[in-house]
């Protein structure tokens, strides 16, 4: 397997400061008769979703758009580590070159090991249980709007996290100037399949 990097986290999901450790992943949401793909970037210091991008195809450009949005929002440290799984998007040379050129140290889970990116899996699971499965969105714009509200209004501001001693991100002291924002991305390109712990169902998305 080409362009696989070492696992630098080894399930150590605690960070001493913002922008020390980020993690990223892709999930998919079934909207009426098609998939909406969501790439997100999380800061492990507080579990804040720094930025995300959504689109109709699961491409390298989608994950790079999410990372670019995060870098536009945050002043990253020279010791920032960005962790992901081994999906083809994260192993794409263009994505790797983009991240490395910005001083990011890349880290990847072992093959087929979901637990090594557990915080992102937990976030996507909550998103689907608390929002997606209950809403049955009929259009992409409805889904994007709902996801925006969930992340910005609930998750990033009100949600209490066990990793933060049951404090919200505001109570944790995550700098308010570093709030996440949405990076919209639409693509008509064909689907690129990335290895996941479970295959997507025909009616609903899964991590």
């Amino acid at each position: 397997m080409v362009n696989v990097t070492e696992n630098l986290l080894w399930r150590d999901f605690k960070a001493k400061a913002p922008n020390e450790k980020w993690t990223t992943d892709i999930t998919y949401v079934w909207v009426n008769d098609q998939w909406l793909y969501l790439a997100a970037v999380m800061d492990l210091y507080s579990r804040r979703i720094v930025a995300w991008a959504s689109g109709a195809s699961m491409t390298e450009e989608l994950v790079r758009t999410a990372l670019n949005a995060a870098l536009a929002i945050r002043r990253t440290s020279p010791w920032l580590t960005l962790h992901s799984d081994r999906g083809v998007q994260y192993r794409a040379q263009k994505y790797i070159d983009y991240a490395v050129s910005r001083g990011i140290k890349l880290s990847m889970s072992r093959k087929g090991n979901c637990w090594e990116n557990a915080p992102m899996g937990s976030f996507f699971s909550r998103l689907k249980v608390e929002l997606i499965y209950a809403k049955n969105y009929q259009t992409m714009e409805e889904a994007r709007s709902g996801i925006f509200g969930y992340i910005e209004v609930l998750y990033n501001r009100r949600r209490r996290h066990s990793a933060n001693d049951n404090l919200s991100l505001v109570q944790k002291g995550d700098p308010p100037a570093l709030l996440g924002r949405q990076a919209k991305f639409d693509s008509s390109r064909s689907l690129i399949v990335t290895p996941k712990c479970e295959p997507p169902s025909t009616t609903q998305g899964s991590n």
Side-chain angles (χ1 to χ4, degrees):
M1 188 177 291
V2 298
N3 289 344
V4 173
T5 63
E6 180 184 357
N7 187 336
L8 301 177
L9 295 190
W10 288 108
R11 302 191 192 182
D12 180 6
F13 301 128
K14 294 183 179 180
K16 297 179 181 179
N19 304 327
E20 178 187 356
K21 298 176 183 177
W22 288 1
T23 184
T24 184
D25 201 358
I26 309 172
T27 195
Y28 20 80
V29 175
W30 186 249
V31 180
N32 197 5
D33 61 349
Q34 59 185 321
W35 292 106
L36 174 67
Y37 297 93
L38 175 68
V41 179
M42 173 188 288
D43 189 330
L44 288 175
Y45 171 70
S46 63
R47 300 301 198 267
R48 179 183 296 282
I49 300 301
V50 181
W52 66 97
S54 60
S57 296
M58 192 159 52
T59 63
E60 176 276 333
E61 190 174 3
L62 177 65
V63 299
R64 183 161 40 87
T65 298
L67 177 57
N68 180 60
L71 293 173
I73 295 165
R74 293 281 182 115
R75 290 185 177 180
T76 58
S77 63
W79 52 84
L80 172 63
T81 297
L82 176 62
H83 186 80
S84 70
D85 63 16
R86 295 186 178 188
V88 293
Q89 298 83 4
Y90 297 110
R91 290 187 288 110
Q93 192 63 54
K94 193 170 184 178
Y95 175 84
I96 291 174
D97 290 345
Y98 177 80
V100 171
S101 70
R102 283 151 180 80
I104 296 173
K105 295 182 294 184
L106 293 175
S107 170
M108 290 184 183
S109 303
R110 289 172 294 178
K111 183 178 180 180
N113 196 320
C114 297
W115 299 109
E116 293 182 356
N117 203 4
M120 283 302 309
S122 177
F123 165 70
F124 284 146
S125 177
R126 285 181 175 272
L127 170 71
K128 291 175 181 178
V129 170
E130 297 177 358
L131 178 73
I132 303 301
Y133 297 155
K135 294 296 184 180
N136 190 27
Y137 291 114
Q138 296 301 302
T139 69
M140 292 293 196
E141 285 307 311
E142 285 180 359
R144 288 190 180 100
S145 178
I147 291 169
F148 177 90
Y150 179 87
I151 293 175
E152 284 302 321
V153 178
L154 176 61
Y155 187 86
N156 272 355
R157 299 175 188 270
R158 301 177 184 173
R159 170 74 66 195
R160 295 177 182 271
H161 298 267
S162 59
N164 295 339
D165 297 322
N166 205 35
L167 299 176
S168 69
L169 273 67
V170 174
Q171 294 170 320
K172 171 76 172 180
D174 201 12
L178 303 183
L179 294 177
R181 72 182 181 192
Q182 184 182 33
K184 289 187 177 180
F185 170 73
D186 291 289
S187 173
S188 59
R189 298 177 184 177
S190 59
L191 172 67
I192 297 177
V193 179
T194 181
K196 293 290 177 181
C197 295
E198 296 179 359
S201 71
T202 57
T203 57
Q204 293 179 323
S206 61
N207 289 335

